Amino acid sequence: MLHKPSPKLWWTAFFIFMVFSLNLLFLTQVSANGTDLDTQLRNKLSSSGVTSLIPLLNESTAKVELGRFLFFDPLLSGNRDVSCATCHHPELETADALALSIGVGGRGLGTKRMADPERTRVARNAIELFNRGVEGWHTMFWDNRIAETADGLVTPAGAQLPEGLDNILATQALFPVTSRDEMRGLVGDKDIFGQPNELANFTDTEFGGIWQALSERIFSTAAYLPLFEAAYPGLEPQYLNITHIANAIAAFEASEWTFFDSPFDRHLAGNDTAMSQDAKLGALLFYGEAGCSACHSGSLLTDQQTHNIGVIPLGPGKSGSPVDMGVKLLSDQDTDLCAFRTPPLRNVTLTGPWMHNGAFSTLEDVIWQHLDPEAALRLYDVAKLEPSLQTTVKQDSELFATLFTSLDPRLERARVMSDEDIDYLLAFLDALTSPSALDLKDSRPDAVPSGLAFD
Ligand code: HEC
Ligand code: HEC
């Protein structure tokens, strides 16, 4: 005998049907939105000219290994106390974790590094060295004082620049060794063994002399010779010069710290699931309403141009000026006052403190600087800065007014922003972090050919 289904059963069946179809509706909506967001973002990136990074040609292992030793060897500094790695350390994310670097005479590493009170602190924040091994770099330093221009390569050394440098990164490597505060030291200095510092005796414009003397130091260190022979096979030792040193350092920097595995880079390579929904929304803002890509443009996330975004001046000043005036120190143009190069942003979450002078130690503060430079200057919290730099902050309303005369008008676009939008932007910045950048311990050699102690 057949039973008629009871009303209770009918209701249960109806309920299950409704839950199922509502769920289905919800799922299709989410994926419709997801597809929308992905398509929107891909369109935005392609109209903004952002594509996957293109690696430069591979360097030989022997050249990279030579570069590693040179990069970590304090032999390159006048007093044999500072190496490139002192300020660009793998355990400090290729920088030094300080607002302003501490060079010659300093002791220790990172936030524990102590400055020699008798010496001038380095005027600027150490720039990170990520992804310099890709195509597209044509400037170096916060003020673009090394740049490939329509008129050729411009550097502080003018006609003294040697021929035979591989690229702009190799060109850059010639200059830290000439800086008295960073590596070279002062006339009359003795090195850590009490021997005279022969590199310090040259005047600041005798670049050729400094490079010659440094080459003599390195090529007379027996342990280096087989390494140069392996890196430059077939080259007679008498033809070795400063360019072989610089080219090897650049080969190391470029090969060691160029990564393509950040969520953003994986997205650019075609993977729609690499970035979180929040990061994608942040990217849309970055390349859209927030106006960030007006300056952080292209695949390197920098236009490599200089802009004044009104960051509060602090530190010892530069080139005899109590305020680091940025590009104005080179060009003498008022429009260049406190203009600094747009920084690239890969791994930016790891490389604080940020800005040309390390003025900020949170990315929220960095973003607010762009959104409201007037308020950022007025409300700058000195207490957030390393104690020894607090008294160097130039909180002076007359200076602020002058600073605003050259403020970049492109900042205007960014001023309408909710807290939620800022969280999305932060999620996007986070998606620029490469998992490979999180542990760089292996970049450090166990010892250097000079036998000197380092880091
Ligand atoms: C005392 C700290 C210190 C030492 C030592 C040092 N640097 Fe730097 N480095 C800095 C600072 C500070 C800047 C930014 C200076 C500026 O822009 O005026 C910088 C900038 C750079 C840049 C520019 C990156 C870019 O995109 O513009 C590179 C590359 C670099 N350093 C490599 C080196 C190498 C190679 C050595 C060793 C030969 C070295 N540094 C030694 C502190 C240091
Ligand atoms: C007018 C050009 C311009 C625009 C627009 C712009 N930036 Fe910047 N950004 C710069 C410059 C220049 C600096 C360095 C300023 C300095 O040190 O004085 C900088 C610094 C930064 C830094 C610190 C990086 C570091 O390594 O120190 C971050 C992060 C950043 N910008 C993110 C953003 C975001 C997010 C936006 C959009 C809300 C944005 N920027 C819009 C030019 C710009």
Side-chain angles (χ1 to χ4, degrees):
M1 196 180 140
L2 285 170
H3 285 280
K4 255 175 90 182
S6 69
K8 198 170 155 200
L9 248 171
W10 272 116
W11 276 114
T12 317
F14 180 69
F15 180 74
I16 290 172
F17 171 77
M18 283 309 284
V19 167
F20 180 73
S21 45
L22 273 176
N23 239 330
L24 205 71
L25 196 74
F26 177 71
L27 281 175
T28 38
Q29 276 238 313
V30 166
S31 75
N33 271 342
T35 326
D36 253 350
L37 179 58
D38 287 335
T39 318
Q40 241 178 306
L41 182 55
R42 293 226 172 265
N43 289 342
K44 195 60 131 188
L45 289 169
S46 100
S47 66
S48 307
V50 183
T51 52
S52 290
L53 297 170
I54 303 167
L56 294 172
L57 292 180
N58 272 344
E59 300 281 6
S60 73
T61 312
K63 195 170 167 190
V64 171
E65 289 314 303
L66 169 62
R68 184 189 313 275
F69 288 132
L70 291 165
F71 192 88
F72 280 86
D73 202 334
L75 185 65
L76 274 71
S77 62
N79 294 346
R80 294 177 166 82
D81 63 342
V82 179
S83 75
C84 306
T86 305
C87 305
H88 302 282
H89 202 279
E91 280 164 44
L92 303 165
E93 301 298 338
T94 74
D96 57 9
L98 295 167
L100 302 178
S101 291
I102 298 172
V104 179
R107 274 167 202 280
L109 198 63
T111 50
K112 296 200 186 72
R113 189 162 171 78
M114 303 287 288
D116 173 348
E118 303 292 304
R119 293 179 193 260
T120 319
R121 183 94 175 235
V122 174
R124 292 183 184 157
N125 180 264
I127 303 179
E128 46 64 45
L129 303 180
F130 288 113
N131 287 39
R132 297 313 193 264
V134 300
E135 285 182 9
W137 288 106
H138 53 83
T139 63
M140 287 283 137
F141 289 123
W142 281 109
D143 51 11
N144 282 359
R145 65 185 178 278
I146 296 181
E148 285 162 358
T149 69
D151 304 327
L153 182 63
V154 175
T155 81
Q160 295 177 62
L161 196 77
E163 280 183 17
L165 293 160
D166 284 348
N167 49 43
I168 195 157
L169 197 58
T171 308
Q172 190 285 336
L174 291 175
F175 290 91
V177 300
T178 68
S179 156
R180 291 199 183 276
D181 303 336
E182 287 188 10
M183 296 184 85
R184 192 154 72 97
L186 302 171
V187 179
D189 271 359
K190 298 259 193 294
D191 77 2
I192 53 165
F193 304 113
Q195 311 167 116
N197 171 350
E198 81 283 16
L199 303 183
N201 292 338
F202 296 93
T203 66
D204 290 353
T205 52
E206 288 179 298
F207 294 97
I210 301 167
W211 293 327
Q212 180 60 34
L214 180 61
S215 303
E216 279 161 24
R217 240 198 216 193
I218 290 172
F219 300 135
S220 65
T221 304
Y224 266 114
L225 293 182
L227 299 169
F228 276 95
E229 221 177 283
Y232 300 101
L235 185 76
E236 300 285 325
Q238 71 266 29
Y239 296 120
L240 282 172
N241 63 43
I242 191 75
T243 66
H244 301 101
I245 295 169
N247 288 339
I249 291 177
F252 165 70
E253 294 168 307
S255 310
E256 192 75 9
W257 295 315
T258 297
F259 304 121
F260 304 96
D261 59 349
S262 74
F264 182 62
D265 288 300
R266 288 188 288 128
H267 180 91
L268 291 177
N271 181 347
D272 276 336
T273 59
M275 267 162 66
S276 69
Q277 172 109 350
D278 282 6
K280 287 176 187 172
L281 291 168
L284 274 184
L285 284 169
F286 190 93
Y287 290 98
E289 258 175 82
C292 311
S293 62
C295 304
H296 298 278
S297 60
S299 308
L300 295 172
L301 298 154
T302 166
D303 56 2
Q304 298 186 65
Q305 304 289 316
T306 56
H307 312 271
N308 171 11
I309 67 163
V311 175
I312 194 157
L314 63 90
K318 197 166 163 73
S319 307
S321 158
V323 170
D324 179 355
M325 298 193 289
V327 182
K328 188 183 169 180
L329 291 169
L330 306 173
S331 71
D332 208 21
Q333 301 284 312
D334 288 339
T335 47
D336 287 332
L337 177 68
C338 294
F340 295 93
R341 184 186 69 180
T342 310
L345 300 176
R346 276 184 179 73
N347 299 309
V348 72
T349 51
L350 308 174
T351 58
W354 294 276
M355 302 303 195
H356 72 275
N357 55 11
F360 296 116
S361 47
T362 70
L363 283 171
E364 284 90 332
D365 287 348
V366 169
I367 292 179
W368 276 111
Q369 171 69 45
H370 292 78
L371 301 188
D372 194 345
E374 283 98 343
L377 269 183
R378 211 167 6 91
L379 304 173
Y380 183 76
D381 184 2
V382 172
K384 287 187 186 167
L385 202 62
E386 165 197 324
S388 61
L389 291 176
Q390 292 179 1
T391 54
T392 71
V393 177
K394 314 281 186 299
Q395 276 175 319
D396 163 349
S397 51
E398 219 168 289
L399 174 65
F400 291 175
T402 323
L403 201 61
F404 277 117
T405 57
S406 62
L407 199 68
D408 197 295
R410 267 160 282 220
L411 288 178
E412 293 291 338
R413 283 199 57 199
R415 294 198 185 179
V416 269
M417 210 79 340
S418 65
D419 286 352
E420 206 181 22
D421 286 346
I422 291 185
D423 286 343
Y424 291 146
L425 279 176
L426 289 169
F428 173 60
L429 295 180
D430 199 37
L432 302 172
T433 311
S434 162
S436 302
L438 297 175
D439 182 3
L440 304 177
K441 280 201 296 298
D442 292 345
S443 297
R444 184 185 180 281
D446 294 332
V448 290
S450 67
L452 290 166
F454 63 103
D455 75 16

